[in-house]
Amino acid sequence: MKHKSSISFRNLAGILYVGFFLAFLFVPLIVMILFSFNSSPRLSFPIHSLSLSWYRALIDDELFLDAFRRTLFLGLGTAIASGIIGLLAALGLVRLKLQVRTIAMGLAAVPLAFPALLYAIALAFFFNKIGVGFSLWTTLLGHVILTMPFVFLIVGSALERFQFSMLEAARDLGAGPFHAFRTITLPHILPAVVGAMLLAMAISADEFVVAFFTAGQAKTLPMLLYGRLNLGITPALNAVGVVLLVVTTLLAALAARSTRFQVER
């Protein structure tokens, strides 16, 4: 009887701990979402009434629309550039010996441990020394460098599971290298490539530090959010945060779904 009650107490303690952990993670986001629908400009409970007025105000806000366009440009540019470069690097990696591949994969993961602040300062110093003015293009380059390791590691892992005997069979049947890649290799690793590109786009959309140091006067959505935060937290600011949250969460979910499909194949 004591044994059963002890197990029950441990289970209850575990449930409470997990519940507290999840609440600590999600309650601030839930509060932000609720207040973005508050019709009153005052951030206080109880909520007066629900309204979409703050989201309608964003549609008429030119600064928000410009920041959204810049964020979309950076996200698409980062996804395309890092996807191509990471794919080519991963294809070159599979031709190396196993020990060399292991070392290369480990080195590719090292930049992921660097503090973003130091990385941003180094980029700003580099652009300043070579005389390149800060703009969206410098931010795009920074985002590409920042996200390339993710693409490289994801696509490289997919290629590790690829059966290269199929390529040898295709070449024996007369297929050229490009034709064999287009019809055999690429379809096999395409979910991983798409997932890695979506993840790169999500990281770019949510990235603040590199953009803050390299974008100059061009503001992205995270920068706009930070700038308006200095004026105080308002329902309009919560609406901007919800838009950014939805965009990054959707991209990350699509990336996870695509890479999971690759693993299950």
Side-chain angles (χ1 to χ4, degrees):
M1 192 71 175
K2 292 183 179 179
H3 181 66
K4 289 184 179 180
S5 63
S6 176
I7 294 177
S8 177
F9 176 76
R10 284 199 294 266
N11 290 341
L12 179 61
I15 293 173
L16 290 176
Y17 177 79
V18 172
F20 176 78
F21 175 75
L22 294 176
F24 183 77
L25 289 177
F26 291 104
V27 165
L29 296 177
I30 294 172
V31 171
M32 180 185 70
I33 294 171
L34 284 177
F35 276 118
S36 72
F37 293 100
N38 187 13
S39 60
S40 172
R42 298 182 59 185
L43 300 178
S44 60
F45 282 109
I47 292 177
H48 183 262
S49 61
L50 299 180
S51 172
L52 295 174
S53 58
W54 303 110
Y55 291 94
R56 297 191 192 101
L58 291 182
I59 299 176
D60 298 327
D61 188 342
E62 287 298 327
L63 292 178
F64 168 79
L65 295 177
D66 288 341
F68 185 83
R69 294 188 195 100
R70 295 187 191 105
T71 302
L72 182 61
F73 166 77
L74 288 174
L76 290 174
T78 300
I80 295 171
S82 61
I84 294 174
I85 298 172
L87 173 61
L88 294 176
L91 289 173
L93 178 71
V94 297
R95 301 178 182 275
L96 304 177
K97 295 181 179 180
L98 178 60
Q99 292 181 343
V100 179
R101 292 205 305 270
T102 303
I103 295 174
M105 295 282 279
L107 291 175
V110 170
L112 302 180
F114 290 165
L117 180 60
L118 295 181
Y119 176 71
I121 293 173
L123 275 177
F125 178 79
F126 172 74
F127 290 138
N128 183 59
K129 281 300 181 181
I130 64 176
V132 175
F134 296 148
S135 66
L136 280 182
W137 294 103
T138 54
T139 305
L140 176 61
L141 180 59
H143 283 188
V144 170
I145 298 173
L146 188 68
T147 56
M148 270 196 304
F150 291 97
V151 179
F152 174 71
L153 292 172
I154 293 173
V155 178
S157 298
L159 284 172
E160 287 289 340
R161 299 186 295 270
F162 180 67
Q163 297 180 0
F164 288 91
S165 58
M166 293 188 296
L167 288 180
E168 296 175 1
R171 290 171 183 171
D172 290 340
L173 295 173
F178 178 75
H179 181 74
F181 169 77
R182 182 174 60 83
T183 58
I184 299 177
T185 308
L186 186 58
H188 179 82
I189 64 173
L190 187 59
V193 175
V194 172
M197 292 174 66
L198 289 171
L199 179 61
M201 191 173 180
I203 294 172
S204 173
D206 192 49
E207 204 285 320
F208 167 75
V209 179
V210 172
F212 183 80
F213 278 88
T214 61
Q217 297 300 316
K219 294 185 180 297
T220 61
L221 269 183
M223 294 174 65
L224 179 69
L225 198 60
Y226 173 77
R228 293 188 175 180
L229 186 62
N230 295 326
L231 302 176
I233 301 177
T234 65
L237 191 63
N238 289 326
V240 176
V242 171
V243 171
L244 188 59
L245 175 66
V246 169
V247 170
T248 54
T249 302
L250 181 61
L251 289 172
L254 290 174
R257 181 177 179 83
S258 182
T259 52
R260 186 181 66 179
F261 174 73
Q262 169 67 34
V263 171
E264 292 176 349
R265 287 187 59 178

